[in-house]
Amino acid sequence: MNLKKIDVNINGKDYCLEVEENLRLIDLLRDKLHLTGTKEGCGEGECGACTVIMDGEIVNSCLVLAFQADKCRIITIEGIEDEIIKNSFIEEGAVQCGFCTPGMVLAAKSLLDKNLNPNEEEIREAISGNLCRCTGYNKIVSAIKKAASIKRGGDSE
Amino acid sequence: MEAIKPKSLEEVLEYKYKYKNDAKIIAGGTDLIIKIRKGEENPKVILDISTIQELKGIRETLEYIDIGSATTFTKISECILLNKNLKGLKDAAKSVGSPQIRNRGTVGGNICNASPAADTVPPLLALDSILVLERKGRKREVYLKDFFKDKGRVDLGEDEILTRIKFKNLLKNQGLGFYKLGLRRALAISRLSFAVFLEIDEMNRIEIIRIASGAIGRFPMREYELEEYLTGRIINEDTLKEAESLLERIIFERLKGRQTAKFKSIAAKGVFKKALLNALYLCKGVNEFEKN
């Protein structure tokens, strides 16, 4: 297997890396860079546990090959400094086992970056690519509503 | 496996010419990476076109709306160039997978993988889209309806790639409707879908109709018999009933011997009707049937 040289910015830091040609982005993040906040669930794009933000959009890092991320900007859960979303998740009890949480937070972040006043349907749509087997989703939806409300400058609902 | 990230379309065509069928195109990767990991595909070379600007984006030319093959489903569903009469295409793009999949998956991949359940193919068929296929030093065009040869097999040369998809923009009295039946809301693979292109006159007489189905055959296809029946007729309850029973017979015949034949032939009626009424609504601005 040949190695491929890539330049990639992860969480604001520039990396120049040599990667195996069939290496997935999730493997690069977890195994090479030890950014283990990104989880692997299904490995086929169904569960969203491996969600990262790539050039501003959420993607499944299990469905991106590392060499495809050459010259891209990646944000993982480790790079999220948004305390409002994180605290809302904690306060609303939106975290149980925690496996889906990094993906959920990134999906929420991606939504709230574009829309600070999402309705319930828009919130559910935004997290529709992320499975949670603990919470039944309601607490996650409440957490995102709360984060949106705080970001709009209001109090928590 | 050798992974190559060409910088321009010209470079892609050069590599494709060099490696022919040994080189597999990767764009969104939402299908190919799974297949490679399952061992179903084992390409010697993969060519990444996901960042080739010439293959991305939607533009309007004098005659056509023209979509680059590496345009993502998200970009299609959000494109302001696609006006409201083309809602069926946006609805189909929006119905693909999940936000994560739509941010990566491309319309070109949807077409070239030739899955029977490809969501954006029925609307593009109903629009009578033309595909632009390019190889080093040569370009040709084929109608999408002639592109599928069998399940997973398309009319694409060993050194050729799909570069653009184009169709005529719609007029005021034309509309494109889409409806899909899936198992759950997000990430549902189409169990059944219909797209209907409709042009009507003031009397609700059908001037032109093009109907395409998804997931009821070896690949998405036009439903010519139904189109022929409906052309020239005035849309009313009787016409719809007749059309539905004709469709039920066509689908049952096509799927004969399969377990799903009965279910799909009955479900198809409702899905088709919804797609047609969606198209009618776009032509008229009101839905006359829902009012009754």
Side-chain angles (χ1 to χ4, degrees), chain B residues 186-201:
Chain B
L187 289 154
I189 292 171
S190 261
R191 294 293 132 167
L192 197 55
S193 70
F194 269 91
V196 176
F197 167 91
L198 190 63
E199 180 185 322
I200 53 168
D201 67 11

Side-chain angles (χ1 to χ4, degrees), chain B:
Chain B
M1 186 175 84
E2 191 188 349
I4 303 172
K5 201 168 160 65
K7 288 183 186 63
S8 63
L9 174 59
E10 195 187 338
E11 251 187 69
V12 177
L13 298 179
E14 197 63 54
Y15 281 118
K16 196 65 184 144
Y17 176 76
K18 183 175 167 196
Y19 292 111
K20 308 271 185 319
N21 281 340
D22 284 343
K24 198 87 185 141
I25 299 288
I26 185 169
T30 52
D31 287 320
L32 185 63
I33 293 175
I34 296 172
K35 282 184 185 162
I36 290 174
R37 287 181 64 81
K38 283 185 177 163
E40 291 166 15
E41 290 265 7
N42 188 16
K44 282 198 182 131
V45 178
I46 50 174
L47 300 175
D48 180 25
I49 61 164
S50 63
T51 50
I52 305 270
Q53 283 310 316
E54 297 149 276
L55 297 177
K56 292 169 86 81
I58 300 161
R59 62 192 186 203
E60 189 170 11
T61 62
L62 223 48
E63 211 182 340
Y64 294 106
I65 298 275
D66 182 322
I67 305 179
S69 57
T71 305
T72 64
F73 300 115
T74 299
K75 291 281 183 269
I76 290 174
S77 68
E78 290 173 355
C79 178
I80 47 166
L81 249 188
L82 304 174
N83 65 31
K84 72 169 179 35
N85 294 44
L86 282 164
K87 186 168 178 292
L89 179 59
K90 287 185 166 183
D91 286 348
K94 229 177 276 177
S95 82
V96 175
S98 63
Q100 288 90 328
I101 299 284
R102 291 194 290 279
N103 285 341
R104 289 294 292 168
T106 65
V107 62
N110 216 210
I111 294 170
C112 290
N113 286 336
S115 155
D119 287 310
T120 57
V121 174
L124 290 170
L125 275 171
L127 289 166
D128 208 18
S129 300
I130 295 166
L131 305 182
V132 181
L133 309 173
E134 289 186 51
R135 56 163 59 113
K136 191 184 163 187
R138 224 195 90 191
K139 208 186 248 202
R140 71 180 170 115
E141 295 189 348
V142 297
Y143 278 99
L144 176 59
K145 61 176 185 249
D146 301 324
F147 188 62
F148 299 111
K149 296 297 168 198
D150 204 341
K151 186 173 175 177
R153 221 164 59 79
V154 294
D155 175 21
L156 196 62
E158 56 179 9
D159 54 355
E160 231 172 9
I161 75 158
L162 169 63
T163 53
R164 310 204 72 84
I165 300 106
K166 55 185 199 175
F167 53 83
K168 291 204 169 117
N169 203 353
L170 300 199
L171 306 171
K172 257 195 168 152
N173 61 335
Q174 299 176 327
L176 177 74
F178 175 78
Y179 196 79
K180 159 179 166 177
L181 196 64
L183 287 186
R184 66 178 237 239
R185 245 192 94 216
L187 289 154
I189 292 171
S190 261
R191 294 293 132 167
L192 197 55
S193 70
F194 269 91
V196 176
F197 167 91
L198 190 63
E199 180 185 322
I200 53 168
D201 67 11
E202 316 80 64
M203 306 287 297
N204 278 357
R205 188 186 303 278
I206 299 176
E207 305 261 13
I208 306 171
I209 187 165
R210 289 190 297 264
I211 303 162
S213 63
I216 339 186
R218 284 167 299 144
F219 42 82
M221 59 180 79
R222 287 274 294 275
E223 299 293 347
Y224 295 108
E225 205 181 331
L226 193 59
E227 291 176 8
E228 205 171 301
Y229 172 79
L230 281 166
T231 306
R233 284 178 201 271
I234 291 176
I235 303 182
N236 55 33
E237 294 290 348
D238 288 344
T239 312
L240 278 179
K241 271 210 184 83
E242 281 296 313
E244 285 173 28
S245 30
L246 173 62
L247 179 64
E248 185 178 355
R249 286 202 298 279
I250 295 169
I251 305 300
F252 190 77
E253 196 58 32
R254 187 178 304 156
L255 300 178
K256 211 156 65 180
R258 291 212 218 167
Q259 273 194 339
T260 52
K262 185 129 202 229
F263 162 70
K264 281 201 171 178
S265 56
I266 294 170
K269 297 196 293 185
V271 176
F272 163 67
K273 187 175 173 185
K274 286 209 158 137
L276 177 72
L277 293 181
N278 283 344
L280 183 65
Y281 178 79
L282 296 171
C283 295
K284 304 281 287 184
V286 285
N287 191 338
E288 297 177 353
F289 287 88
E290 301 269 294
K291 273 194 304 195
N292 296 338

